[in-house]
Amino acid sequence: MSALEAMVEERASILRFYSPYYGLRNLSDNKSPWQTLRAQLLNFGAEENEHCWYSDNGCYFLYTDLPWDSAFFGRPMARLRTVLFNSVGNLRTGCARFTEHLVTRGVQHCIADIPTEDIQVLQALGQIGWMLTETRLQYAHENLSHIPAERYNVRQALQSEQTVLGCIAAHNPNPYDRFHADPFFSFEEANAFLAEYAVAAVNGYCEEVLVPNQDKVSLDSFIAINYQQRDAISRTNNIGRIMLMAVGGQNRGWGRKLFAEALHRAHDRGEHTIFSTTQTTNRAIIHIKEQLGFRLVAVTHILSWSRS
């Protein structure tokens, strides 16, 4: 057994929480989330933009470059996947060396999405200056045959409406999402990112973008959905995800309607489960999800480091 494999096995009880599927109840194979994640960790570095960096004091840092984000924001950016270590006593020093490594590579910003259960990594990164920028709640709806029966008039957004949807996203941000809460980004940059995301969703990044289709209701909201994720677990278990939603003042009340209709359409397509992520501060969306039958399955914290 290699040193890396030994560390993965030693941390298995915590690393399991890094799988987005860990908290699901209705998987065809309950062992598959850990088996898939374990294989990914052991082979990390084989894919383009992946790095498995050793700190020389018993810590491995698995991280990826973010080429799309880097190009959009005009600064080299990365994402820390997880940390493997054989002694918690070495972790803080290892994290400090990792940030020095990022500086050496010219990286200016790095994020990490860490499950609450991995408290040792969260504390070590915090001690050396990584900043909490968002706490995320991962919800799942695993019983799409039992959703409110009422349907709503919606339609697929048109490509010709992409600019309008971009403006809706940019003008209705959550100030506590990881981009708006991170001082590395200006508020204008964060809004521009949301606008670009919405435009990409209409142009094929998401399988469907729904908007209101009701008389005397203006276009001031949308919801973007992917009914099939790219990985094998999602395809095998028919798992989709709500990717983005924005609701402006002229469409007040349409958040619940769009969510409900997205669930109906997912069920009509044969989906078994829908994921949706939000921030702990987004109480209105949390309330909608609870009304519609979503269940909280995971909590993670997004930390960021930036080069001053």
Side-chain angles (χ1 to χ4, degrees):
M1 180 182 293
S2 68
L4 187 67
E5 188 175 3
M7 290 182 189
V8 169
E9 296 304 325
E10 185 175 340
R11 297 203 68 219
S13 62
I14 296 297
L15 291 174
R16 294 174 190 274
F17 292 102
Y18 281 83
S19 170
Y21 309 109
Y22 178 78
L24 297 184
R25 296 170 176 167
N26 299 326
L27 293 174
S28 58
D29 178 4
N30 289 329
K31 295 180 180 179
S32 61
W34 168 240
Q35 292 170 345
T36 300
L37 177 62
R38 181 180 181 277
Q40 291 172 348
L41 296 177
L42 292 177
N43 291 292
F44 205 88
E47 298 293 329
E48 185 179 8
N49 297 314
E50 289 184 350
H51 306 273
C52 181
W53 184 78
Y54 182 63
S55 66
D56 292 329
N57 73 334
C59 301
Y60 286 91
F61 291 81
L62 280 55
Y63 74 100
T64 59
D65 296 326
L66 298 176
W68 192 94
D69 300 63
S70 300
F72 181 83
F73 290 107
R75 287 159 284 183
M77 301 172 68
R79 183 187 190 104
L80 176 62
R81 180 77 165 98
T82 193
V83 185
L84 304 174
F85 53 92
N86 55 18
S87 170
V88 69
N90 295 333
L91 186 55
R92 180 177 176 179
T93 301
C95 289
R97 291 179 182 175
F98 174 63
T99 59
E100 293 170 359
H101 165 73
L102 293 176
V103 171
T104 300
R105 287 198 63 231
V107 175
Q108 293 188 27
H109 184 268
C110 186
I111 65 165
D113 192 0
I114 309 294
T116 300
E117 292 80 4
D118 202 355
I119 189 65
Q120 293 174 332
V121 169
L122 285 167
Q123 290 175 341
L125 291 173
Q127 286 171 341
I128 64 162
W130 285 57
M131 179 185 301
L132 176 66
T133 57
E134 182 182 314
T135 296
R136 284 185 171 177
L137 304 178
Q138 170 99 297
Y139 282 89
H141 200 303
E142 297 182 85
N143 195 1
L144 296 179
S145 60
H146 290 79
I147 51 180
E150 188 174 2
R151 302 296 298 263
Y152 302 96
N153 291 325
V154 300
R155 61 173 175 82
Q156 171 75 9
L158 305 175
Q159 277 193 315
S160 60
E161 296 169 323
Q162 60 183 292
T163 302
V164 175
L165 267 61
C167 289
I168 295 170
H171 293 161
N172 298 280
N174 181 342
Y176 301 102
D177 69 36
R178 75 173 183 90
F179 292 102
H180 289 84
D182 192 332
F184 180 78
F185 307 103
S186 70
F187 215 75
E188 291 74 21
E189 284 180 315
N191 287 345
F193 175 84
L194 288 179
E196 184 69 16
Y197 195 110
V199 168
V202 178
N203 284 292
Y205 182 69
C206 295
E207 292 179 67
E208 197 163 43
V209 180
L210 303 177
V211 298
N213 187 30
Q214 187 172 315
D215 290 343
K216 299 181 180 180
V217 175
S218 58
L219 175 54
D220 199 23
S221 62
F222 69 89
I223 191 167
I225 316 110
N226 271 337
Y227 296 108
Q228 281 290 323
Q229 301 294 286
R230 295 181 177 88
D231 61 88
I233 294 177
S234 288
R235 292 194 299 269
T236 301
N237 293 275
N238 297 318
I239 299 172
R241 178 178 287 277
I242 305 295
M243 303 298 290
L244 179 66
M245 186 176 77
V247 180
Q250 297 180 73
N251 282 176
R252 194 162 295 168
W254 270 90
R256 186 183 189 281
K257 295 176 182 178
L258 289 170
F259 247 106
E261 193 58 32
L263 294 180
H264 277 291
R265 291 187 173 225
H267 180 254
D268 293 344
R269 287 172 175 248
E271 296 302 293
H272 296 164
T273 299
I274 288 290
F275 274 132
S276 179
T277 301
T278 193
Q279 298 82 25
T280 53
T281 55
N282 204 339
R283 293 173 178 82
I285 295 299
I286 292 171
H287 180 61
I288 288 172
K289 290 178 181 179
E290 291 174 345
Q291 284 184 320
L292 293 174
F294 279 86
R295 180 175 63 87
L296 180 66
V297 295
V299 179
T300 65
H301 305 282
I302 295 186
L303 276 63
S304 75
W305 165 88
S306 58
R307 186 177 179 183
S308 57

